[in-house]
Amino acid sequence: MRNNQHDRSKAALAARLGRQLFAGAMAAGILAGCATQGYDRKAGNTVGAMQAGNAELALQTLEQQNPDKDKDLLYFMEKGELLRMKGSYEASKESWLAADEKVRGWEEQAKSDPSKLLGDVGSFLVNDTTRRYDGRDYEKTFINLRLALDHLAIGDWDSARTEIKKMHEREAVIAEFRSKELDAAKSSAESKGLKTTSFKELNGYPVETLTDPQVQALKNSYESAVANYLAGFVYEGLGEPSLAAAGYRKAIEMRPGEALLEDGLKGLDGRVRARSPKLVDTLIVIESGSAPAITSMTLPILLPIPSTSGLSIIATPISWPVIRAADSSAVPGSITIDGKTTPVALLTSVDQMARKALSDEMPGIIARSSVRAITRGVAQKAIDNNAGQLGAFGSLLSLAAKVGSVAIEVADERTWRTLPGFFSVARVKLPVGAHTIILPSPGGPLTREVKLSGNYALVTLRTSGPSLYLAQTPYDEQKAALAMAAPDTPPEPDKPVKTAKNVKKAAPGNAVKAAAAAKEKAVAAAAARKSAIVPVSASAADK
C-alpha cells in the first residue's frame, strides 16, 4: 500500500512539475520571443533602410518596432545614431544621454553590488534574452565617443572633453567587473562539475571567428584607438598638450607602427607652441559599414544530468551566439582633398571589438546555459521516469515539456546594429575656407564640400549604402575673415620693446599705407595657398 501511495505521489509530483515546466516555458518563451524575436530579425528593417541610405525611413521603422512607453538601451542607441546621420545633433545627443543614463545605472550596480549582475534568475531558468540588456562593453564606451562627436558638431569642445573623461572612467569600471565575472563563471563551472568551460570545446562552434589573431591581439573589447586618438585631438585643441600626449600614446600602443599616429605625437609640441592663423589642423574621421549582427547556432554540449542511478552524461542542445567576420572592403585607403590624394589609416574595427567582447563573455554564457540545461534536464528526467504511470497524458506531458524547452532555447542576439563597423582617419592642415573632399566607395566616388575655420576642426564622413553623411565643427565666418587678413606667420614672442630713444616716430600716413600693404600681401598669400595640404606633423613655424 505504501509503495503504491509513494508511486502515485511521485507520478503526481512529476505531472505537476511537468505542467509547471511546460506552462512556464511557454509563457517565458512567448515573452522572450516578443521581446527579441531574434534581435537580428527585429532590427532587420531598420538596418536595411539605413544601409540603403534612408535614415528617415530607418527612424520610422525603429519607432514602429518599439511602441511601448518604456524604451530600452538598444532603442536609445539606435535612435541616437540615426538622428546623427540626419544631422539632428541636439536630438541625437539627448537620445544618447538617455542611453548613457541607463549604462550609469549598470555602473553603480557593478561598483556597489556586482553579484546582482553576475547572476540572473531568468537567464538560469529561461535564456539570456530575459536579462536586462546593459550593452556590450564596447557599446558602453562608444556611447561616450558618439556623444563627444555630437558635442564637437555643435561646437562644444568642453562638453566633448567631459565625455572623454567619462569614457576613461567607464573603462576602469568595466575592467574590474569583467575580472569578477570571469572568476564567478569559473567557480560556477567547478561547483556544477561542468567539463566545458571554453567556446573552443564546443564541437561545431566556428571558433575561428573568435580566435582570429587580430581579435585575440586586442587587449580588451572596450578601448579603441580611434577614441584615444580623438581624445588626444580634443585635448590638443583645448591647449592641454600633456593630456593630448597621453591619448596619442595610448592610440599608438593599440596600433603600433601606424605613421599617422606617430606623427600626431612627435609634432605635438610644435603645433601647440606656434599655431598658424591661416591653417586649420583638420582631423577627418571616416565611418564605414555597420556593426556586425549576432545570430544563434544550436549545438549539443555534454552535461551531467542527475538521475536515480547517479549522474548521466547527456548531450544537451543549447543555442550559442555567433558573430561572422564583417566585410571590410568598403574601408577606403585614401581620400582626395582639393584634387590631392591623402592617405587614410584604419584605426578601429568594431567587428573585431564585437568578437572580442563575445569571446570574453563566453565563459559566463556557457556557465549560465549549462546550469539552465541541467535544471531542465532534471525536471525532464523526473517526468520521463514517471510518464508510464500517467498513461497517454504522461506521454503528452513529456513531449510538451521537451517542445517547451526547445522553444525557449535561444541565444541573445541583441547588439547595437546602426553603429559604424570601421573607423579610419586622415589628418592634414588646410587653409581657412572651403574645400572639396572626395571619398571612394563601391558605388563610385562621393563628394562633399566643407568650410573650415579656427585652429582645429573635425570632419566626420559616414558612408551608408549610396549615401554619405557629413558632420563637422561649425564654420565661423568672422574668424575666417580675420584669419585671411592676418599675417602669414604669427608674431614672434618676446620682441624687444621699442622706445622713443631708438625708434623714429612713424608718420600717420606711412602707418596707414604700411597696414594696407600688409593686408593686401596677406590676402594674396592666402589665395596662392588655397589648395595647399600640409602634413600634420609640420609646425606653423615651418610655414
Side-chain angles (χ1 to χ4, degrees), residues 187-248:
S187 248
S188 175
E190 291 172 0
S191 67
K192 299 295 181 182
L194 303 178
K195 301 300 182 182
T196 302
T197 58
S198 168
F199 63 87
K200 296 178 183 179
E201 301 166 19
L202 296 175
N203 188 26
Y205 189 87
V207 295
E208 69 280 358
T209 61
L210 302 183
T211 58
D212 181 287
Q214 291 181 313
V215 173
Q216 292 302 310
L218 297 179
K219 182 180 178 182
N220 55 58
S221 67
Y222 48 85
E223 292 178 301
S224 65
V226 69
N228 281 287
Y229 191 79
L230 180 68
F233 184 77
V234 170
Y235 284 131
E236 181 183 338
L238 291 171
E240 301 179 84
S242 60
L243 291 176
Y248 292 144

Side-chain angles (χ1 to χ4, degrees), residues 210-428:
L210 302 183
T211 58
D212 181 287
Q214 291 181 313
V215 173
Q216 292 302 310
L218 297 179
K219 182 180 178 182
N220 55 58
S221 67
Y222 48 85
E223 292 178 301
S224 65
V226 69
N228 281 287
Y229 191 79
L230 180 68
F233 184 77
V234 170
Y235 284 131
E236 181 183 338
L238 291 171
E240 301 179 84
S242 60
L243 291 176
Y248 292 144
R249 288 193 186 97
K250 186 68 175 178
I252 292 171
E253 178 185 324
M254 301 184 75
R255 296 285 293 179
E258 185 59 65
L260 182 144
L261 301 183
E262 293 172 355
D263 284 346
L265 182 61
K266 74 181 180 184
L268 176 60
D269 291 338
R271 293 193 303 273
V272 173
R273 186 172 57 250
R275 298 177 177 179
S276 169
K278 293 184 177 298
L279 292 177
V280 185
D281 193 338
T282 308
L283 177 63
I284 301 172
V285 178
I286 302 164
E287 304 169 352
S288 311
S290 304
I294 297 178
T295 57
S296 295
M297 172 181 280
T298 302
L299 295 171
I301 181 174
L302 295 176
L303 294 175
I305 306 297
S307 65
T308 54
S309 58
L311 289 178
S312 300
I313 305 300
I314 299 175
T316 307
I318 295 178
S319 293
W320 307 101
V322 176
I323 298 179
R324 305 288 182 181
D327 180 11
S328 61
S329 60
V331 178
S334 65
I335 57 176
T336 302
I337 306 176
D338 296 334
K340 296 187 178 181
T341 300
T342 299
V344 168
L346 173 60
L347 294 193
T348 296
S349 166
V350 175
D351 166 63
Q352 293 174 6
M353 294 180 73
R355 287 187 280 150
K356 176 64 174 176
L358 182 56
S359 175
D360 293 343
E361 293 168 12
M362 281 301 279
I365 292 173
I366 291 172
R368 290 191 300 273
S369 299
S370 299
V371 171
R372 183 168 67 238
I374 291 172
T375 302
R376 289 183 197 157
V378 171
Q380 186 70 52
K381 193 72 174 175
I383 295 169
D384 291 345
N385 288 343
N386 295 278
Q389 300 178 44
L390 300 174
F393 174 70
S395 299
L396 181 61
L397 188 62
S398 177
L399 177 61
K402 291 175 182 176
V403 170
S405 294
V406 172
I408 63 173
E409 182 52 45
V410 59
D412 190 355
E413 298 178 353
R414 292 173 293 181
T415 186
W416 186 356
R417 292 298 319 282
T418 56
L419 184 68
F422 303 91
F423 289 83
S424 307
V425 301
R427 188 170 175 182
V428 291

Side-chain angles (χ1 to χ4, degrees), residues 25-39 126-131 407-410 414:
M26 288 297 96
I30 292 171
L31 201 60
C34 291
T36 62
Q37 302 172 17
Y39 189 74
V126 186
N127 59 51
D128 277 356
T129 64
T130 61
R131 293 161 63 91
I408 63 173
E409 182 52 45
V410 59
R414 292 173 293 181

Side-chain angles (χ1 to χ4, degrees), residues 76 80 83 88-99 147 150:
F76 290 114
L83 287 168
S88 304
Y89 305 119
E90 288 288 355
S92 170
K93 185 179 70 174
E94 290 306 312
S95 186
W96 278 329
L97 284 172
L147 273 168
D150 268 356

